[in-house]
Amino acid sequence: MVSRPSPHGGPPVALSTASVFPEDMDSAFEVAAELGYDGVELMVWTDPDSQRLSSVARASERTGMPVLAVHAPCLAITQRVWTPDPAERLRRSAVLAASLGAPTVVLHPPFRWQRRYAHGLARQVDELERAHGVRIAMENMFPLRRGRLRWSSYTPGHDPTRPGARWYTLDLSHTATAGDDALDLLERMGDHLVHLHLGDGTGVERDEHLVPGRGTQPCAEVCRRLGASGFAGTVVVEISTRRARSRNERLDMLAESLLFARLHLGTDLPRSPVR
């Protein structure tokens, strides 16, 4: 499976369902359709609808928004979604993605305490990709930081290029929090990069997921490089709107992020404002 090009040209720009929180999954599909996104990335979350194929398929059909990626429930808060077993959560994510026609499953590196899962992960990823025709794209994360102290809760670390993976997701909010060089990481991921989480950050000790262009990360340059390279993956707006003072402010943030992506990817812009 590969991502279908956007009708605007270039890679599709999708909306993460996490970007409308505290609104629910159905709202995310509706917002994506209203603002003119090319599809959604489904964050499998504590919201029961996000965990059920039938509910997701109905939302997709109702809004005309395809699911372009499934984010496996591997956050600390989703450790008991479906099952406490991380290997089974990954398997179910791959099955869900294949059932929805989504080409990519986004996955975080294992936590340090998930030793058995980590030991068998490479083999499981290979088996799932071959069985279900999906790409499992490992995402860069960040260490915990307190002043000069840094401690990674991931094994072997927060940077998936060491020791390496077949496919990658690059998250620009995470590079800010980690203090990593986003352009260097982009180069190291190379042709194995199939997924971009477009957000921003200022380098503080927490994951900010700002509107792209409002932080210190080279969001525009990353998009320009991907657009010029014929990137065949998916660009996903993954920002935090939880502090928006109104629904209109939330929609404005999501519309601004979409326009930022299309402008710097070099794709066609709408003839009139999206809202």
Side-chain angles (χ1 to χ4, degrees), residues 21-174:
F21 183 82
E23 296 186 45
D24 61 15
M25 183 198 73
D26 281 340
S27 293
F29 275 88
E30 292 162 4
V31 167
E34 178 182 349
L35 297 182
Y37 280 83
D38 296 311
V40 304
E41 175 183 301
L42 173 71
M43 173 70 80
V44 181
W45 192 247
T46 54
D47 175 4
D49 282 340
S50 73
Q51 305 168 26
R52 290 193 289 259
L53 171 62
S54 59
S55 299
V56 180
R58 279 196 300 270
S60 177
E61 182 177 3
R62 185 180 70 254
T63 59
M65 286 287 99
V67 178
L68 300 180
V70 170
H71 195 308
C74 46
L75 284 72
I77 198 173
T78 57
Q79 291 299 293
R80 291 193 173 274
V81 167
W82 284 332
T83 169
D85 180 0
E88 177 62 12
R89 290 199 301 272
L90 175 55
R91 186 196 70 80
R92 292 183 66 165
S93 297
V95 171
L96 181 60
S99 300
L100 293 165
T104 303
V105 174
V106 178
L107 184 66
H108 293 179
F111 289 114
R112 286 194 176 275
W113 55 86
Q114 295 173 327
R115 295 179 183 176
R116 182 177 179 183
Y117 166 60
H119 179 73
L121 182 57
R123 181 176 64 255
Q124 184 188 16
V125 165
D126 182 64
E127 292 172 352
L128 291 174
E129 288 186 338
R130 286 189 286 106
H132 300 290
V134 297
R135 302 172 301 202
I136 298 176
M138 193 68 75
E139 183 174 2
N140 61 296
M141 299 302 293
F142 51 89
L144 300 175
R145 293 168 48 203
R146 292 295 181 271
R148 295 183 180 181
L149 297 177
R150 292 166 64 93
W151 182 81
S152 178
S153 57
Y154 302 98
T155 184
H158 71 276
D159 180 352
T161 66
R162 299 185 172 96
R166 181 178 290 127
W167 308 115
Y168 296 112
T169 295
L170 175 60
D171 187 300
L172 296 178
S173 177
H174 294 174

